Amino acid sequence: MQLNFVFSNLPSEGILILFCGEGETLSDFAQTIDAATNGQLTRAITAEQFKGKKHDQLILTAPAELSLKRIVLLGLGDRNEFDALGAQKLGGKIIVTLQSLDDSSATISTDGLNNCPSTSAELTANLVLGAQLRDYRFDKYHTKPREGKPGRLNALTVLCDDPQQIEDACAPLQSLADSVCQVRDWVSEPGNILHPESYADQLNEFTKDGVEVEILDEASMEALGMGALLSVGRGSARQSKLVVMRWQGDTADQPPIAFVGKGVTFDSGGISIKPAAGMQDMKYDMAGSATVAGLIQSLAKRKAAVNVVGVVGLVENMPSNNASRPGDIVTSMSGQTIEIINTDAEGRLVLADALWYTQATFKPRCIVDIATLTGGIVTSLAHEMAGIFSNNDTLAEQLIAAGTTAGEPVWRLPLTKIYDRLVDSDIADMKNHAGIPASSITAAQFLQRFVNEVPWIHIDIVGTVWRKEDGDLAEKGASGYGVRLLDQFVRDIYGQEVRK
Ligand code: BES
Ligand code: MN
Ligand code: ZN
C-alpha cells in the first residue's frame, strides 16, 4: 500500500473519508466541503440520521460540484475516549468499507481527529497501522483472481496540516506493521516451503538491517549438548537450526532482553502422531519463533536504542526410523535428563535447550519465551488472550500492562511447587508429558526447570495466532499476534528513545 502525506486540499478524484465525533458538528475541513456543495453533506447527515457513533458510516455519491467519486463520513464515537487502539480499529474499518465499495484507493482527512486526548499525529499513525494490518492478505499461492474477493488497497492519501510531522509519527509504526505482516507470511507458509533450513536462510537476511545473526547447525548443537532440542528434529529430513539474532541499539555494557521462540515448522506429533483431521494447522507451530524474529526485525528497522537478543529453535517434528520413541531418555544442555513420554510434547524440548543456552550465553536481564505450546491454553482462555507464566511478579505485571496498551491482552496462570512435582519422572529427572489436566501449567513448570533465577515469562499463544474468522485488524488466517505486545513491552522497559 502506497502512503502519501499531503497538505489538506480538496482531492479531485476517488473517495474522501471524513471523521466526526458523536453528536458533534462537522470539522472545519468537512464544513468547507459542505459549503462547496450547497450543504449536501449536512442534508445527507440529517436524512440518514448519522450520529457519529463509533463506526457509524455514511456513504454518499459526491455531489456534482465535486469531481470526487464518493464521500464517506465515519463516526468516532465519544472523542474523549477515542484512543490509539480505537484509531487502529477505525483504520481496519476503513479497509472493510473500501472493500465493500470495491475501491482500491482513498484519501482521508485527519482534520476530524483533532481535539482527542491523543495528538492527531499519533491517532493518524495508529489509523494507518490498523488499515495496513486489516488490508493484509496471504494470497501468493492464488494464481487466478478470486470471484467475489475485493482487491487490496493500492494507495492511501493522508490530508493533514503538517505532512512531515504525520509522516514522522507513522515511521516507527510502519516498521511494526511491516513486521506483523512478515510474521503472518511466515506463519502462513506451508511446511514444505518454510522448513528449518529455508527459514534460517531467511532470518540470515536480517544482517542487512544491522542485526548480528548466528546460525547453529546440528553439529554445533551436538557439541553444546542440546540433546533435548536435537531429539525433536531427528525424524526429519531437514537439519535443525538454532538461530540467534542480536540487535544492539544500546551501549555494549547493557545486558539484553532475551526472547526465545518455538519454531516447529511442522508438528506431525512424531511417533505419537496426531490425528489427520486438522493436522494441516501444524504448519503454524513456528509462530512463536516468527514473533521473535518479527520483533527483532521491527526494532532493527526503527533503530530502537535497545539491546535485544532473539533465539529461535527451528525443527520439524516427523515420524521416521530415526525419530524419537516414547520412552526414550535424552540429556539436555543443562545436564538434566528427560523421559519422552509423548513425542508430540516436543515444543518444551526445543525450548528447554534454547532457554538454557540463552541464559548461559547472554546473561540477559530477563527472558521471554513465546510458543504455540499447548492445546490446553485454548481450553483456558479460548482465542481471546494468550496465557502467561512467570517466576517474577514485576515482569508479569509489565507484560500484562504492555498487552493492554498494545491491544494484545495476556492472562497470568499459576506456577507453583504443587504443579512442579507433576513433571517428575520415575526414571529420569523429568518427563515431557504430565497428562492432560492443567497441561499448559505443567508445560510451563517443565520450562521453568531450564531458567534458574533469571526473571522469565513464558507466553502460550496457541489460541491467538490463527483466526478462523475476520476480525477488526486481520482477515481470517495468521494474526501476527505478539509482535505488538513484545514491541510495547520493550518500549515500556526502555522508554521511547530512538537512535537516529
Ligand atoms: N504444537 C502443539 C500445540 C498446538 C495445538 C499448536 C493446536 C497449535 C494448535 C504441541 O506441540 C502439542 O502437540 N501439544 C500437545 C501436548 C500434549 C501431547 C502433552 C497438546 O497440547 O495437546
Ligand atoms: Mn506437538
Ligand atoms: Zn508443537
Side-chain angles (χ1 to χ4, degrees):
M1 180 193 301
Q2 195 201 327
L3 286 171
N4 310 306
F5 302 91
V6 301
F7 190 74
S8 288
N9 260 325
L10 187 61
S12 57
E13 55 179 23
I15 296 192
L16 173 65
I17 299 177
L18 305 167
F19 305 111
C20 183
E22 184 168 355
E24 293 178 5
T25 51
L26 290 172
S27 71
D28 291 350
F29 187 69
Q31 282 187 25
T32 329
I33 290 167
D34 197 35
T37 61
N38 284 319
Q40 285 290 339
L41 204 49
T42 27
R43 285 191 61 207
I45 288 172
T46 312
E48 303 298 335
Q49 301 188 24
F50 176 85
K51 300 281 189 300
K53 289 204 177 101
K54 195 196 274 182
H55 292 193
D56 268 1
Q57 60 178 25
L58 178 65
I59 302 174
L60 56 147
T61 306
E65 295 87 333
L66 305 178
S67 54
L68 291 173
K69 185 155 75 173
R70 287 192 182 93
I71 297 175
V72 176
L73 192 56
L74 281 173
L76 301 179
D78 182 352
R79 187 173 294 276
N80 295 313
E81 285 172 15
F82 188 72
D83 58 7
L85 292 181
Q88 288 177 18
K89 287 185 182 158
L90 190 64
K93 165 80 181 171
I94 289 173
I95 296 298
V96 175
T97 300
L98 292 172
Q99 286 180 352
S100 74
L101 297 172
D102 206 9
D103 258 298
S104 60
S105 67
T107 301
I108 61 170
S109 164
T110 59
D111 185 44
L113 300 178
N114 291 326
N115 304 317
C116 297
S118 308
T119 64
S120 87
E122 193 195 338
L123 293 172
T124 305
N126 278 281
L127 185 142
V128 169
L129 170 66
Q132 289 179 314
L133 294 181
R134 187 61 183 77
D135 190 52
Y136 170 89
R137 188 175 289 165
F138 187 74
D139 53 9
K140 67 187 273 199
Y141 294 111
H142 282 288
T143 62
K144 301 181 188 75
R146 279 175 297 168
E147 190 107 350
K149 245 322 189 197
R152 293 173 64 182
L153 203 63
N154 289 329
L156 191 63
T157 301
V158 180
L159 302 180
C160 43
D161 295 338
D162 188 345
Q164 193 57 51
Q165 183 206 14
I166 302 281
E167 194 168 348
D168 290 348
C170 285
L173 294 194
Q174 186 62 56
S175 69
L176 193 59
D178 290 345
S179 291
V180 173
C181 293
Q182 171 66 75
V183 169
R184 289 173 177 176
D185 277 349
W186 282 324
V187 171
S188 305
E189 285 287 1
N192 62 328
I193 305 293
L194 195 85
H195 48 73
E197 297 161 5
S198 60
Y199 194 7
D201 287 345
Q202 289 198 41
L203 299 185
N204 205 17
E205 299 287 304
F206 283 15
T207 48
K208 289 185 188 144
D209 291 314
V211 178
E212 295 164 35
V213 182
E214 191 188 354
I215 300 177
L216 277 63
D217 60 11
E218 289 187 349
S220 333
M221 289 190 275
E222 202 78 62
L224 287 164
M226 295 190 175
L229 186 152
L230 287 168
S231 75
V232 178
R234 207 139 267 161
S236 168
R238 304 290 180 185
Q239 292 274 310
S240 301
K241 306 278 180 190
L242 190 82
V243 181
V244 179
M245 297 158 281
R246 277 199 103 168
W247 169 250
Q248 294 275 90
D250 197 2
T251 49
D253 58 320
Q254 291 302 312
I257 304 178
F259 295 93
V260 173
K262 169 178 173 181
V264 177
T265 58
F266 185 73
D267 179 14
S268 69
I271 297 298
S272 316
I273 198 162
K274 287 178 182 292
M279 205 202 273
Q280 68 278 8
D281 288 350
M282 287 306 122
K283 70 174 183 179
Y284 69 69
D285 207 18
M286 34 53 71
S289 68
T291 309
V292 170
L295 171 74
I296 303 280
Q297 183 189 49
S298 161
L299 293 171
K301 286 229 163 111
R302 72 173 159 86
K303 302 211 182 311
V306 302
N307 285 350
V308 169
V309 60
V311 176
V312 293
L314 311 184
V315 301
E316 185 184 43
N317 187 20
M318 296 292 260
S320 92
N321 59 324
N322 293 319
S324 288
R325 294 153 282 258
D328 281 3
I329 295 175
V330 295
T331 304
S332 65
M333 183 184 172
S334 72
Q336 300 175 97
T337 55
I338 304 162
E339 180 190 11
I340 298 175
I341 299 286
N342 187 320
T343 64
D344 196 12
E346 85 297 341
R348 66 201 74 182
L349 298 173
V350 175
L351 291 175
D353 281 334
L355 284 168
W356 190 267
Y357 173 83
T358 302
Q359 80 173 5
T361 312
F362 303 105
K363 308 275 183 282
R365 59 199 266 184
C366 61
I367 305 182
V368 178
D369 82 67
I370 180 159
T372 47
L373 205 62
T374 65
I377 205 68
V378 185
T379 310
S380 304
L381 300 170
H383 302 281
E384 314 307 321
M385 295 192 194
I388 66 163
F389 303 81
S390 183
N391 60 3
N392 185 292
D393 293 346
T394 311
L395 203 64
E397 291 302 328
Q398 279 172 328
L399 192 70
I400 291 166
T404 307
T405 311
E408 294 192 318
V410 298
W411 196 263
R412 191 176 182 188
L413 292 157
L415 273 180
T416 69
K417 274 254 169 312
I418 312 172
Y419 291 107
D420 180 65
R421 67 180 175 79
L422 300 180
V423 183
D424 289 338
S425 156
D426 292 336
I427 188 171
D429 293 333
M430 66 194 94
K431 56 189 177 192
N432 78 331
H433 181 31
I436 290 306
S439 64
S440 308
I441 304 175
T442 52
Q445 293 292 167
F446 180 98
L447 298 180
Q448 190 176 15
R449 295 184 179 203
F450 296 88
V451 290
N452 294 346
E453 298 306 318
V454 54
W456 155 79
I457 299 185
H458 158 59
I459 315 178
D460 195 335
I461 54 170
V462 169
T464 49
V465 294
W466 195 269
R467 303 192 59 93
K468 293 221 160 74
E469 278 154 22
D470 293 350
D472 292 335
L473 296 177
E475 254 187 26
K476 69 178 182 186
S479 66
Y481 179 91
V483 184
R484 283 161 284 168
L485 166 70
L486 298 183
D487 181 79
Q488 188 65 48
F489 175 74
V490 173
R491 271 173 205 267
D492 289 351
I493 288 185
Y494 272 97
Q496 299 275 343
E497 330 95 270
V498 174
R499 189 182 279 180
K500 290 274 175 189

